[in-house]
Amino acid sequence: MINVVGLGYIGLPTALMLAVSGTQVVGTDIDEDLLEKLKNGIFCGAEKGMQELLSEALDVGMSFSDICVKADTYIVCVPTPYVETTKKIDTTLVCAAVSEVLKVCGDGATLIIESTVAPGTIKKVIAPMTEPKGIKLAYCPERVLPGALLREFVENARIVGADTVEVAERVRDVYKSFVKGNIEITDIKTAETVKVAENTYRAVNIALANELALISRDEGMDVNEVIRLANMHPRVNILNPGPGVGGHCIPIDPWFLIEGRDKEDSVIRSALLVNDAMADYVMNRIAKISRHEGIKSPCRVGLYGISYKENVDDIRNSPTLKLLEKTSEFAIYDPFVKKKVGNNQFFELQAFLDAVSFVVIMCGHDEIKKNQELLRGKIVLDTRNVCDSLEVYKL
Ligand code: SAJ
């Protein structure tokens, strides 16, 4: 039996995948409202296929609990944020989850951490907690992309970090039940580093795209054209510039990799700062275009998209929220965001468009890609390069 602890965007699909693949699974979370919904077969997110997977898992007897239960194997998938001021990992939630596991598990149980951690955290912080009970520790980071979660859960290769081959192989067997990609074995610290290195690679690549956007704007060129043509080189693959880098991984995990290395020059630190500065750049661009077009009030400016990226409902570290911190009068709208997060928020696309003269596309949701015609007659700043049939301002 496996107890998955933390039923967020990784824990829940992991638990469901294991359950439908024939393992007895209990999912644990402290959010009672969430548990009630899940027990009743209700999935509240936007991720494709999750609703069906939940129904299937309930049909094969998966259960939910607000406390940890006795099991052979535990998988901890709770968030590991950073402390805003120091950029250092905040291990409070992961330690709390491990403490709860330790209250119920038998000696020698297997404990897999999936939460992203700063390299060395398992040895420094988790192992001292689990050693007295002889717990077999492993680290198996998730690498799935929100928006394509269930496909990537099955297809992606995985890394298992463990201190002995015996533990690694046991953990590999757990994931083998639903993973078709290779499952590679390494030591715990290497696995921790691989996880944050992957997200750092993406952060640095996006920062390059963002810096190219600034250079291209200054020099009167379209950055998207620069990148499109550069990417025709067989060994160049520059990502897309945008209004900033959001979510709970790419803007945060690279800080874990450079924790304690404050004195060195760092391409990683510079990249994070370049990405963070995009919010100010977009604000300046909005101000300049507004002046040019004679738009006097920020209420007439509408930010399309509140989530951190296209076609997801997650708003953590969203570039739009960063802009709202600077000017709360902007109108906002997002087809995926149903709760109120701003003063001047709309819940219907046409009402939003009727209220503004200037639309800033912050997320390239399919909705706006398919309905570009609705923007005709508006001033548009397209930070995501999604409008291909209209005259728009570019990043
Ligand atoms: N972004 C750009 N330009 C791009 C791509 C992304 O500005 O070309 C922005 C997005 O708009 C968003 C942010 O970056 O604001 C992050 O989005 P993302 O799609 O790059 O990544 P996440 O956070 O949704 O998921 C990442 C993935 N990591 C990698 O691709 C290396 C995913 O595989 C990880 O599992 C996930 O982080 C995680 O949980 O660590």
Side-chain angles (χ1 to χ4, degrees):
M1 144 118 84
I2 297 183
N3 186 193
V4 177
V5 184
L7 299 175
Y9 96 103
I10 292 302
L12 180 61
T14 302
L16 301 179
M17 283 282 193
L18 287 164
V20 301
S21 310
T23 310
Q24 203 191 339
V25 180
V26 177
T28 296
D29 201 285
I30 50 172
D31 182 342
E32 292 189 6
D33 189 41
L34 170 73
L35 292 178
E36 209 39 47
K37 290 199 174 89
L38 293 174
K39 282 179 193 165
N40 288 303
I42 302 165
F43 172 69
C44 287
E47 194 67 43
K48 292 185 286 288
M50 282 292 288
Q51 182 61 63
E52 296 77 3
L53 190 64
L54 173 61
S55 308
E56 234 185 288
L58 288 170
D59 286 349
V60 295
M62 175 175 172
S63 59
F64 295 97
S65 162
D66 60 351
I67 50 169
C68 293
V69 298
K70 194 156 178 107
D72 331 303
T73 303
Y74 295 84
I75 304 183
V76 170
C77 301
V78 295
T80 38
Y82 67 4
V83 181
E84 190 72 45
T85 44
T86 61
K87 313 287 191 202
K88 291 205 166 115
I89 186 168
D90 175 355
T91 55
T92 315
L93 294 175
V94 73
C95 288
V98 171
S99 297
E100 291 306 308
V101 167
L102 291 172
K103 282 184 193 161
V104 295
C105 72
D107 288 357
T110 301
L111 173 58
I112 305 166
I113 306 289
E114 279 212 22
S115 312
T116 304
V117 291
T121 301
I122 303 231
K123 187 167 180 212
K124 269 199 305 257
V125 183
I126 310 292
M129 297 171 73
T130 59
E131 260 156 22
K133 269 194 143 178
I135 302 299
K136 301 184 176 75
L137 264 181
Y139 182 62
C140 184
E142 58 81 16
R143 353 161 91 162
V144 287
L145 190 73
L149 218 65
L150 295 185
R151 180 174 51 75
E152 292 211 352
F153 252 109
V154 174
E155 289 177 4
N156 289 2
R158 297 216 46 159
I159 313 290
V160 172
D163 287 335
T164 67
V165 174
E166 183 227 332
V167 174
E169 283 178 349
R170 181 191 297 210
V171 171
R172 177 157 62 185
D173 288 344
V174 168
Y175 288 96
K176 249 190 191 160
S177 63
F178 67 89
V179 173
K180 291 212 175 87
N182 283 347
I183 305 179
E184 300 285 334
I185 288 176
T186 184
D187 62 275
I188 290 179
K189 196 167 186 177
T190 301
E192 291 172 319
T193 306
V194 168
K195 168 66 197 176
V196 287
E198 291 164 2
N199 282 347
T200 301
Y201 165 80
R202 200 156 168 85
V204 171
N205 193 333
I206 297 168
L208 170 61
N210 284 334
E211 189 165 341
L212 283 173
L214 270 51
I215 294 169
S216 302
R217 174 65 34 221
D218 283 348
E219 301 298 329
M221 295 174 290
D222 176 0
V223 63
N224 303 297
E225 185 65 355
V226 171
I227 292 176
R228 185 181 74 81
L229 295 172
N231 282 351
M232 287 178 170
H233 187 290
R235 282 173 298 285
V236 174
N237 185 17
I238 306 169
L239 286 167
N240 300 307
V245 172
H248 47 103
C249 309
I250 308 278
I252 294 169
D253 300 355
W255 288 112
F256 296 167
L257 193 54
I258 54 173
E259 219 175 274
R261 309 184 74 90
D262 310 344
K263 292 197 178 69
E264 292 165 15
D265 285 344
S266 163
V267 72
I268 299 170
R269 189 179 307 109
S270 301
L272 290 163
L273 299 179
V274 166
N275 290 338
D276 279 352
M278 289 311 284
D280 282 333
Y281 173 76
V282 173
M283 279 302 284
N284 289 337
R285 198 95 182 90
I286 293 173
K288 206 167 170 188
I289 296 168
S290 295
R291 269 198 306 278
H292 182 70
E293 298 282 355
I295 292 170
K296 301 259 172 347
S297 161
C299 305
R300 301 293 296 162
V301 179
L303 308 181
Y304 174 89
I306 306 171
S307 62
Y308 80 92
K309 69 172 188 178
E310 69 286 354
N311 302 324
V312 302
D313 59 358
D314 193 335
I315 60 169
R316 283 174 289 177
N317 296 311
S318 127
T320 300
L321 295 183
K322 273 206 187 140
L323 294 201
L324 280 188
E325 279 168 20
K326 297 173 192 292
T327 306
S328 62
E329 295 112 300
F330 287 145
I332 52 170
Y333 161 78
D334 192 304
F336 293 97
V337 179
K338 303 291 178 212
K339 69 171 184 192
K340 196 161 169 55
V341 294
N343 300 332
N344 192 8
Q345 185 171 354
F346 291 80
F347 296 92
E348 209 260 311
L349 177 60
Q350 195 55 57
F352 165 75
L353 293 176
D354 289 345
V356 301
S357 318
F358 178 7
V359 178
V360 184
I361 298 180
M362 298 291 288
C363 296
H365 293 317
D366 287 347
E367 180 200 57
I368 201 68
K369 283 192 188 163
K370 288 183 190 144
N371 290 291
Q372 287 175 45
E373 281 308 309
L374 296 176
L375 296 170
R376 206 166 279 286
K378 303 280 176 202
I379 300 148
V380 177
L381 168 60
D382 179 6
T383 72
R384 297 290 189 174
N385 194 32
V386 291
C387 290
D388 46 23
S389 65
L390 294 174
E391 272 286 298
V392 293
Y393 287 97
K394 304 266 182 144
L395 199 63

